[in-house]
Amino acid sequence: DKNVTNGAVFAMIPSSWEVLIYQWSKDFYARDIDGQVDVVQARRQPWSTVKPFLYLMALENGANPDDLIIDIESEYNSFQEWKVYISENYSLREYGLVRLKKALGNSFNNATVRLARELGLQEVFEYYAKYWFSFASGAEHYWYSLVLGNAETTLERLVRSYARLLPETQSQLPLSEGEIQKSPSPREMSEWQREQASKFLLYDILSDPDNRDVSFWVNSVLSTSIPQAVKTGTSSDFRDNLVVSYHPDLVVWVWVGNNDSSSMQWVTWITWAWYIWYQIIEKAISMWYITERKINIPEGIEQQSYC
């Protein structure tokens, strides 16, 4: 009765890339919902689940989770004559001066677009490519909607990109395939350390329910018994509802919607995909697929009090 006909789940162990769950539709034999369409491999819009990569770029460029950014509706260059791009939050509200970690945790669109402008849209587009995002067109084709997830990608690629967000634990640079171990130069080591420090900060932001207090509440269904770094995405017309989480033990992605891209009716952002995700995570915890893991604070990170 709510026009929610299909769902998909993909889960993998990030350290070995072993796939544990690959369920591309509710029922392979269901012709009424095109059940034989592989949603995991289909190109769909990932919506707000791409935002962590923009904020990671900002952290690598010297931003701090407690830096302040303005969240107000604004006009931006659309790269087309006589047109402007206007940012707008999902809630249609503006939140003014907010901290970077709150902007990401609460998925504020206005602050996200402003951050993309500061970093440079083309630079952001190229940074996304570093994490295996492959879009059909260039940055100026998508305008600033690029950082809000309107550019299509395969959802399996999205999950594998999330697996790369986990900070490394080794003390040396990770080796490429076929590369022999060698001592990195001081410059290479400092760049690698900065990248790992930024990934640590991003994980800390996304796994802290306090950073989701405005949009999703602290004790929402996103708060599991063992915290996960988690990000959600919902289309403005409810064509898609999805959630992605990553943890040293497991990366999980859940999507619900319709293969014909028709809108779901009267659903909220804390139901459907998120509720299914919560049950999967808690089941994985009970079966010891997910355990308590302490991610060591990398070099270059200091905890300080602020007023």
Side-chain angles (χ1 to χ4, degrees):
D1 62 328
K2 297 181 185 295
N3 193 39
V4 184
T5 63
N6 203 12
V9 182
F10 185 82
M12 58 176 284
I13 299 174
S15 58
S16 64
W17 291 59
E18 178 186 357
V19 175
L20 297 184
I21 307 173
Y22 193 125
Q23 180 175 332
W24 72 51
S25 72
K26 183 182 73 171
D27 184 356
F28 178 84
Y29 298 101
R31 294 185 177 182
D32 59 323
I33 62 168
D34 297 320
Q36 295 186 17
V37 173
D38 188 344
V39 176
V40 176
Q41 298 295 339
R43 295 183 68 89
R44 298 187 74 96
Q45 294 167 313
W47 303 105
S48 292
T49 57
V50 302
K51 289 178 181 175
F53 298 91
L54 171 70
Y55 284 80
L56 177 61
M57 179 182 177
L59 293 169
E60 289 185 11
N61 280 271
N64 188 286
D66 290 299
D67 287 346
L68 294 169
I69 189 169
I70 298 175
D71 182 85
I72 58 173
E73 185 177 305
S74 304
E75 294 184 356
Y76 297 90
N77 181 11
S78 71
F79 306 102
Q80 293 189 11
E81 192 174 3
W82 308 112
K83 288 185 179 180
V84 296
Y85 178 81
I86 301 176
S87 67
E88 189 176 74
N89 280 333
Y90 192 89
S91 65
L92 303 181
R93 297 176 58 188
E94 300 172 311
Y95 297 95
L97 204 60
V98 297
R99 299 196 183 275
L100 218 65
K101 61 185 182 183
K102 294 281 189 175
L104 175 57
N106 290 290
S107 203
F108 294 155
N109 290 342
N110 293 329
T112 298
V113 174
R114 181 175 295 269
L115 184 60
R117 187 189 65 179
E118 296 300 318
L119 293 171
L121 189 59
Q122 182 60 38
E123 288 75 11
V124 172
F125 185 85
E126 294 172 0
Y127 186 84
Y128 281 3
K130 174 183 174 182
Y131 281 90
W132 303 342
F133 287 99
S134 177
F135 302 125
S137 302
E140 293 187 359
H141 174 80
Y142 300 106
W143 313 348
Y144 284 97
S145 67
L146 170 73
V147 298
L148 303 182
N150 285 3
E152 292 183 341
T153 185
T154 67
L155 299 176
E156 180 191 15
R157 187 180 293 268
L158 177 68
V159 174
R160 297 189 183 278
S161 298
Y162 262 79
R164 297 184 62 202
L165 292 178
L166 283 164
E168 301 283 350
T169 56
Q170 64 264 39
S171 59
Q172 71 279 348
L173 282 171
L175 300 179
S176 301
E177 184 177 354
E179 181 182 355
I180 62 173
Q181 186 167 346
K182 60 181 180 179
S183 298
S185 68
R187 182 174 180 272
E188 288 175 327
M189 179 57 79
S190 63
E191 288 178 355
W192 182 77
Q193 287 175 336
R194 182 168 62 250
E195 180 182 37
Q196 302 315 308
S198 299
K199 289 181 177 180
F200 173 85
L201 292 173
L202 182 70
Y203 187 88
D204 188 65
I205 292 171
L206 292 175
S207 58
D208 187 348
D210 286 341
N211 295 326
R212 303 189 290 265
D213 58 348
V214 177
S215 297
F216 310 113
W217 314 297
V218 173
N219 294 319
S220 73
V221 72
L222 299 175
S223 299
T224 49
S225 56
I226 295 179
Q228 312 290 299
V230 58
K231 188 70 190 74
T232 64
T234 304
S235 60
S236 55
D237 50 7
F238 286 108
R239 292 199 311 270
D240 301 90
N241 183 216
L242 61 158
V243 57
V244 186
S245 66
Y246 67 103
H247 177 276
D249 290 331
L250 198 62
V251 181
V252 179
W253 162 85
V254 179
W255 168 89
V256 297
N258 303 293
N259 282 352
D260 63 3
S261 293
S262 61
S263 298
M264 297 177 284
Q265 305 295 324
W266 306 108
V267 297
T268 68
W269 52 58
I270 59 170
T271 57
W272 306 114
W274 305 4
Y275 181 67
I276 296 170
W277 169 84
Y278 177 85
Q279 294 183 83
I280 292 172
I281 294 297
E282 290 298 336
K283 185 67 173 180
I285 291 172
S286 70
M287 297 175 66
W288 298 94
Y289 279 101
I290 297 176
T291 59
E292 290 279 5
R293 289 285 196 100
K294 179 181 179 182
I295 298 180
N296 295 327
I297 300 177
E299 293 183 35
I301 298 293
E302 296 181 6
Q303 284 187 307
Q304 295 181 352
S305 300
Y306 61 86
C307 177

